[in-house]
Amino acid sequence: MLSAPKGTHDLLPEALATWQYFENTARSIMERANFHEIRTPLFEATSLFERGVGDTTDIVNKEMYTFEKGDRQLTLRPENTAGVVRAYIQHGMDRCPKPVKLYYLGPMFRYERPQAGRQRQFHQAGVELFGLDTPQSDASVILLAWDLFTTLGIPDLALEINNVGCFDCRDDFKNQLRAILLPFKDSLCEDCQKRYETNPLRMLDCKSEKCKAIYASEAVANFLEADHTCEACQQHFNALLIILTQCNIQFHHNKMLVRGLDYYTRTVFEITSTHLGAQNAVCGGGRYNGLVKTLGGPDTPAVGWALGVERLISLIPPQHPASLDFYIASDDPGSALLLAQQIQHQGFSVEVDLSGKNLGKQLTQANKLQAGQVIILGETERQQNQITLKDMAKGLQETVDKDSFLTSLKRPPVSSVLR
RNA sequence: GCGAUCGUAGCCUAGCGGUUAAGGCCCCUGAUUGUGGUUCAGGAUAUCGUGGGUUCGAAUCCCAUCGGUCGCCCCA
C-alpha cells in the first residue's frame, strides 16, 4: 500500500482543529507584538544553508534534502533563519525603520531518523528581529515566546539561557578549553574526541559518565565556572538577565548550553518541557549578529527563535472541530442549497443532503454529524414559505416563517483568538 | 549512521503449528417512503507488512527485507 514517506505525516481534520487553534493564537500574539509575517520559498540555493547555517553543522553535513535542477543546487529548507535573512537582504529591508520584526510559520525538512518529537518534515514558527543589538531586544523576543506558551497554557516549561560570546571571545574560549582538556583528550569518549576538534563547546553537553567526570573535575570545573566572554558580551548578558527578572521570567543560566548552529553570538536560549520525550526542546534561539553580513548584507545585528510546532502541539489540550450548526433535510435540492447558502452567509455552518435520502435517513445523517438543529424543508413547508426547525438535543420542533427565521439568525460568537 | 522493539480489515483486539483467521468499534442495507438517537436482523471490508526457508501443514517457528514506534547522535 502507498503510504506517506518515512518521517512525514498526514494531518487529518480531527488533528487540524488543534493546529488551527495554535496557528491562530500564534499569529495573533505575534501580530500584536508588531511582528509581520514573511513567507519564503520551501527550497533555496544549497549554498545559502552552507554559508548561513554553517558547513560544520550536522544539519548541513548530513541532514539536508539536496537536489539538482539544470545547473542549480537546491535544498529543501532545514530551518528558516537563513531564508529570512536572504529575503531581508534581497529586498533591501535594512532601509525599513529599525527594528525590522518578522515571523514565519511553515514546514522544514531534515533527513534524520524519526523518533518522538522528530520528523523529516516538521513545522516551525519563528520570529526574527533585525537591526538592534540591545539586551532589551533579546528580552523582547524571549518574552514573546514566553507569552505565547503561557497563553496556550503549557505547563512545566523551563527557560535555559547562556552567553556564548561574540566571534572574538568565543574563539579564545574554545582555544582555552582545548588547552585545559588536552591532558584528558585520550580518555574522552569517541564523540568528544571528534568534538574536541570540530565543536569543543558541544563536549560540555556529553552524556558519557567518563566525560562528565572529567568536566566535573576541579581544574575543569573551575575554568568553566568563570566567565570567559569579553567585557561587552558580559555586560549585554547581565543586562538581559536583569530585564528578564524584572519581567518575572524564571530562567536557569546553563553554562553548558550551546546551540548546534554556527551563527549564534552572545545570547542563546532554549525552552524545554518535562512532558516531551528525549527531544525536549520546544523552542530555541538566540542572537546572530554576524549572519546578515556573512550572507552578503550590511552588518546588521539580529535576534530570534524558532519553535517546533509538532512538539508544542503535543503539549496543548486537543481542540475539537467546530460543531455543525444546521442540517437541512429536504426533498428539493434546489431550495435546500439556496437556503443553505443564505444561512452560511449569516456565519453558520450548514450541511445539506446531497444523496437524495428519505427524511428518516437524513435525520440519521444529521444525528451522526451532530448537527445542533435540523431544518426540515419539505413540500408542506415550501408551499407556506415556512421551515420546520428541530432541536436535535431536546427533540422539539416548531414550524416557523422562513424569512423571519433568516432575519432572526445572529452571527455566532467567533473564537476570541481570532481578531 | 548505530541500537531496541512492534507489524492480524479504516481503528482496537483474540488466535501462538492443525477445518473456511474470531470478536468489538466504524461503514452499508432493512425492520422504519415526513421524523434521528435505542433495539433487532442482515451485509461489506484481511493475499495475517513483504519475500524466502523449515514442516504433511505456518498468522503462529527461522532468516532477510520494508514499515511503525522509541533511544543514541543531533536538533525545534
Side-chain angles (χ1 to χ4, degrees):
Chain A
M1 202 203 319
L2 292 173
S3 57
K6 189 185 185 85
T8 69
H9 287 295
D10 298 312
L11 289 169
L12 304 180
E14 190 66 31
L16 281 167
T18 310
W19 276 70
Q20 287 165 358
Y21 165 68
F22 160 74
E23 287 166 5
N24 292 338
T25 306
R27 281 213 158 80
S28 168
I29 284 181
M30 296 194 279
E31 295 276 355
R32 285 184 216 170
N34 202 33
F35 281 80
H36 298 292
E37 186 176 7
I38 182 167
R39 300 191 191 187
T40 61
L42 297 195
F43 57 86
E44 296 270 2
T46 303
S47 57
L48 173 66
F49 301 116
E50 288 169 346
R51 286 203 287 159
V53 179
D55 51 17
T56 63
T57 61
D58 276 8
I59 290 180
V60 168
N61 273 323
K62 45 188 205 193
E63 296 176 6
M64 295 206 301
Y65 279 97
T66 295
F67 56 99
E68 194 176 315
K69 276 288 169 191
D71 55 357
R72 283 179 237 280
Q73 288 283 337
L74 300 167
T75 293
L76 296 181
R77 63 185 190 189
E79 57 96 57
N80 205 27
T81 298
V84 170
V85 170
R86 194 226 78 231
Y88 177 89
I89 297 167
Q90 180 178 338
H91 299 287
M93 292 172 87
D94 57 304
R95 306 292 186 90
C96 296
K98 300 295 180 341
V100 177
K101 296 161 72 173
L102 302 170
Y103 77 88
Y104 59 83
L105 201 58
M108 310 293 159
F109 307 86
R110 292 183 197 173
Y111 185 75
E112 301 180 275
R113 282 293 292 273
Q115 68 181 76
R118 198 170 70 181
Q119 296 163 218
R120 291 182 173 180
Q121 177 178 333
F122 64 104
H123 295 75
Q124 287 188 334
V127 303
E128 316 290 357
L129 184 155
F130 295 95
L132 288 179
D133 193 20
T134 57
Q136 47 269 45
S137 55
D138 298 32
S140 80
V141 299
I142 294 173
L143 232 59
L144 178 62
W146 203 258
D147 184 28
L148 175 57
F149 294 142
T150 307
T151 304
L152 291 169
I154 299 171
D156 303 321
L157 290 176
L159 170 63
E160 310 247 313
I161 191 164
N162 195 21
N163 171 20
V164 294
C166 56
F167 293 114
D168 299 331
C169 57
R170 183 165 43 173
D171 279 348
D172 287 347
F173 177 66
K174 279 186 194 173
N175 289 332
Q176 288 177 54
L177 184 62
R178 283 197 186 99
I180 206 153
L181 286 173
L182 187 59
F184 306 99
K185 195 182 168 193
D186 292 338
S187 14
L188 294 172
C189 73
E190 216 174 291
D191 286 332
C192 278
Q193 298 204 19
K194 259 183 256 164
R195 292 178 184 128
Y196 184 94
E197 304 298 341
T198 56
N199 192 350
L201 296 180
R202 279 242 149 258
M203 294 192 291
L204 306 177
D205 214 14
C206 186
K207 274 140 198 129
S208 140
E209 291 301 326
K210 208 164 48 173
C211 299
K212 275 202 258 183
I214 292 171
Y215 305 141
S217 70
E218 203 180 335
V220 183
N222 285 342
F223 170 75
L224 293 174
E225 209 35 50
D227 196 329
H228 297 276
T229 59
C230 64
E231 188 65 26
C233 286
Q234 285 183 38
Q235 277 178 12
H236 181 99
F237 190 61
N238 291 336
L240 169 59
L241 297 189
I242 288 169
I243 300 172
L244 291 178
T245 307
Q246 285 172 339
C247 295
N248 297 317
I249 304 282
Q250 302 270 323
F251 57 84
H252 170 59
H253 180 185
N254 179 358
K255 292 188 173 182
M256 306 293 172
L257 180 68
V258 286
R259 319 232 75 247
L261 285 67
D262 280 356
Y263 51 61
Y264 287 110
T265 55
R266 292 193 168 167
T267 311
V268 297
F269 67 93
E270 205 166 84
I271 296 174
T272 58
S273 165
T274 50
H275 300 281
L276 291 169
Q279 315 301 320
N280 67 348
V282 68
C283 178
R287 177 161 286 284
Y288 48 96
N289 284 350
L291 185 58
V292 180
K293 193 176 180 189
T294 302
L295 292 178
D299 199 353
T300 307
V303 61
W305 49 254
L307 66 83
V309 177
E310 283 84 354
R311 290 182 190 178
L312 180 61
I313 280 177
S314 73
L315 298 173
I316 66 182
Q319 307 292 305
H320 301 289
S323 57
L324 180 62
D325 296 315
F326 293 103
Y327 185 96
I328 300 178
S330 177
D331 55 356
D332 184 59
S335 40
L337 287 168
L338 190 62
L339 178 61
Q341 198 174 63
Q342 290 170 322
I343 299 172
Q344 284 158 4
H345 288 171
Q346 296 302 312
F348 293 87
S349 59
V350 183
E351 181 66 278
V352 179
D353 174 65
L354 303 173
S355 66
K357 291 184 175 77
N358 65 37
L359 181 61
K361 288 291 163 211
Q362 293 192 38
L363 280 163
T364 302
Q365 185 69 7
N367 194 55
K368 282 179 190 158
L369 299 177
Q370 296 176 48
Q373 300 205 285
V374 170
I375 293 167
I376 300 170
L377 184 62
E379 198 183 348
T380 328
E381 285 87 355
R382 285 200 303 281
Q383 278 168 5
Q384 305 293 320
N385 197 33
Q386 290 178 321
I387 58 163
T388 297
L389 203 55
K390 176 170 179 127
D391 185 303
M392 291 299 277
K394 294 181 185 141
L396 303 173
Q397 68 182 53
E398 58 174 338
T399 301
V400 299
D401 181 71
K402 187 171 79 174
D403 294 329
S404 48
F405 163 73
L406 279 172
T407 52
S408 73
L409 277 178
K410 291 205 180 90
R411 206 170 277 276
V414 177
S415 165
S416 60
V417 168
L418 298 168
R419 290 205 299 177

